[in-house]
Amino acid sequence: MRKFTFLSLMMVLAVVCIFACTPSTSSSTDARENKSTKQSKEPVTRALAAAYSPFFSFGVAVNRNHVTQEDNPGANIVQQHFSVLTAENDMKWESIQPSEKRFTFKGSDALVSFAEKYDKELIGHVFVWHQQTPDWVFEDEEGNFVSREVLLQRMRDHIFTLAGRYENAIKGWDVVNEALNEDGSLRKSKWQQIIGDDFIEKAFEYAAEAAPNAALYYNDYNLFKAEKMDGAIALAKRLKAKGIRIDGIGIQAHYSNEPPLEELEQSIQKVINAGFKIMITELDLTVLKFPDEDKVGADITLDFAFQEEYDPYKNGISEASHQKLATAYIDLFRLFLKYHEHIDRVTLWGVSDKDTWRNYWPMKGRTDYPLLFDRKHQAKDFVDDLIALAESANKIN
Ligand code: XIL
């Protein structure tokens, strides 16, 4: 635990900075007391979600194995540490309506029951996306693109069926996912090509009608980039100007253990100034090198051929890399706390390093360490620091 002395000191200083107030003697003492609790090597018994509840909700993406309890230790972590769940894959179009009008709710129903049983909130992910959406959606029987009218009808039916089934269960929906290019312009997806630029407006209109009680979000990756965030804000403002409801912008946050802190902070400030809520929707921090720096982001179609040199921690992560990860998580949560009045939720994209998508994306067969719980479902040592960070912030607040 000695290795965390510096980190913990930074943490205490950070908490003081978060609220830009002169620290009272008692708050410094409180932070030290938290530290000494940690040094007594007690296991993590306090929950992340409980510690952060004064600031924002703390969520996680779950997969089928958590919901069926096949991954029992993983399910236990979900129950203990997280208050709001997103389906990692089970509410995507290909899972819900794999062929026309054949709806398959097995996975999503099971998730909804799991959430009810353990008293968790649910986020719906996702209505309209160009990925994990079957070809039939865009095609007629001959394989040609359908008309704008047909595609709008299919979009509407899908949104109404899915939102309707879970009307009382879902707190917020990712309505449109990843509609922007890196420069903030509209991606030429099949949605855009067939319907036109207003496919986003239509999706939000249908969602507002079908899910009147749920919050509605636009969600994307690389929104720390100024140009891309400008595009997202322009999009949200366009909707608002037309009287179409949009409640917030979801920042995916698939980063590395060197996250873009300053750029992210500037992006967060822009969303706040524009008057929208922020959700951190898919946080994970790879410790592995991205095979092509120009493609950093979350394009799920990337599939680089396996190369040993990109998989250096097969038998365990290096101490230096782990320390970087710890610092990165602390720094990010310090930032989220600073803007907590505008951030509704922070969701981790996965429970443990055992089942993270980062092991198979953007290169299959690697051993990554991007989450808060390790392959044996143990909380990483800095989870205590994250909890102490929130508890100290709460005392100062
Ligand atoms: C990922 C899942 O984690 C993987 O299991 C799946 O194979 C591909 O999709 N942006 C999103 C998420 O909005 O839905 C993606 O999830 C990751 C990138």
Side-chain angles (χ1 to χ4, degrees):
M1 285 292 157
R2 191 187 274 164
K3 64 193 177 196
F4 276 100
T5 308
F6 176 69
L7 189 58
S8 301
L9 177 67
M10 293 304 290
M11 210 177 66
V12 173
L13 291 175
V15 167
V16 170
C17 299
I18 287 167
F19 298 101
C21 62
T22 312
S24 69
T25 320
S26 68
S27 48
S28 309
T29 312
D30 288 338
R32 271 201 301 278
E33 277 165 8
N34 283 330
K35 174 66 185 158
S36 66
T37 310
K38 186 169 83 73
Q39 278 175 334
S40 71
K41 289 197 177 163
E42 279 176 14
V44 175
T45 50
R46 294 155 301 156
L48 283 159
Y52 279 89
S53 62
F55 305 106
F56 41 73
S57 57
F58 208 99
V60 70
V62 294
N63 63 39
R64 194 75 63 89
N65 292 339
H66 303 121
V67 170
T68 59
Q69 315 254 359
E70 199 171 300
D71 176 0
N72 195 258
N76 287 339
I77 293 172
V78 173
Q79 287 158 37
Q80 186 188 350
H81 284 285
F82 299 96
S83 63
V84 48
L85 315 181
T86 307
E88 185 176 2
N89 287 300
D90 274 342
M91 286 195 192
K92 292 173 180 172
W93 197 306
E94 67 180 10
S95 306
I96 293 293
Q97 199 185 173
S99 54
E100 190 166 13
K101 295 197 174 20
R102 188 170 70 81
F103 287 86
T104 49
F105 294 115
K106 198 166 168 238
S108 49
D109 279 357
L111 172 61
V112 171
S113 308
F114 180 89
E116 263 170 23
K117 183 167 172 196
Y118 295 107
D119 199 20
K120 308 294 179 192
E121 293 181 325
L122 272 178
I123 299 299
H125 176 75
V126 48
F127 287 142
V128 174
W129 190 19
H130 62 289
Q131 305 287 11
Q132 295 184 280
T133 302
D135 287 342
W136 73 260
V137 176
F138 307 102
E139 294 174 359
D140 63 17
E141 279 164 8
E142 279 88 50
N144 300 316
F145 273 1
V146 291
S147 65
R148 167 183 161 93
E149 287 65 37
V150 169
L151 188 55
L152 280 174
Q153 191 60 48
R154 286 178 179 174
M155 180 201 272
R156 191 175 194 283
D157 288 347
H158 187 81
I159 291 177
F160 270 75
T161 307
L162 186 49
R165 187 173 185 93
Y166 301 127
E167 204 188 332
N168 301 316
I170 304 266
K171 191 183 170 230
W173 278 102
D174 290 337
V175 177
V176 175
N177 203 22
E178 302 179 0
L180 296 173
N181 294 314
E182 296 305 280
D183 66 359
S185 61
L186 267 194
R187 184 192 289 281
K188 302 277 170 236
S189 66
K190 290 181 184 171
W191 291 108
Q192 190 278 342
Q193 288 176 55
I194 297 171
I195 297 175
D197 289 357
D198 65 343
F199 84 90
I200 300 176
E201 290 163 30
K202 290 292 174 193
F204 275 87
E205 265 174 20
Y206 298 152
E209 209 186 319
N213 301 320
L216 305 179
Y217 315 122
Y218 173 75
N219 193 51
D220 213 329
Y221 60 84
N222 282 357
L223 290 179
F224 68 90
K225 291 186 178 171
E227 280 189 317
K228 197 163 182 181
M229 183 53 103
D230 288 344
I233 290 173
L235 183 160
K237 283 186 170 166
R238 265 197 315 274
L239 295 184
K240 220 175 151 186
K242 292 189 172 172
I244 302 168
R245 182 161 71 87
I246 171 168
D247 299 295
I249 295 184
I251 296 176
Q252 288 188 8
H254 297 290
Y255 301 139
S256 74
N257 58 357
E258 291 177 11
L261 288 167
E262 281 173 23
E263 289 161 284
L264 179 60
E265 178 161 13
Q266 282 162 16
S267 275
I268 287 173
Q269 287 170 346
K270 278 188 197 168
V271 183
I272 295 171
N273 291 338
F276 298 100
K277 282 280 182 189
I278 297 162
M279 259 53 53
I280 307 295
T281 54
E282 305 183 14
L283 177 60
D284 57 17
L285 305 179
T286 182
V287 303
L288 303 177
K289 236 177 114 199
F290 213 89
D292 178 348
E293 286 300 322
D294 291 342
K295 301 211 164 110
V296 166
D299 173 357
I300 71 162
T301 60
L302 293 179
D303 189 11
F304 294 96
F306 180 81
Q307 294 169 69
E308 293 276 350
E309 58 173 304
Y310 286 101
D311 187 31
Y313 305 132
K314 201 177 260 320
N315 301 314
I317 187 173
S318 72
E319 186 56 30
S321 200
H322 175 76
Q323 286 305 317
K324 251 163 92 176
L325 183 70
T327 306
Y329 266 112
I330 295 287
D331 285 347
L332 275 171
F333 274 89
R334 183 198 304 159
L335 181 66
F336 300 153
L337 284 169
K338 181 171 173 183
Y339 295 102
H340 72 90
E341 282 172 10
H342 306 276
I343 298 179
D344 273 5
R345 164 174 54 98
V346 177
T347 288
L348 269 293
W349 200 245
V351 177
S352 82
D353 290 346
K354 190 165 164 241
D355 48 42
T356 167
W357 78 306
R358 292 285 195 152
N359 292 326
Y360 52 89
W361 178 92
M363 183 184 279
K364 292 198 187 80
R366 297 200 294 177
T367 303
D368 207 344
Y369 302 78
L371 295 171
L372 300 181
F373 295 84
D374 68 18
R375 288 186 158 61
K376 294 184 175 149
H377 295 100
Q378 298 302 306
K380 294 186 182 174
D381 46 15
F382 55 83
V383 169
D384 263 348
D385 295 290
L386 287 176
I387 290 173
L389 180 70
E391 290 177 346
S392 308
N394 194 22
K395 282 174 187 153
I396 292 171
N397 214 18

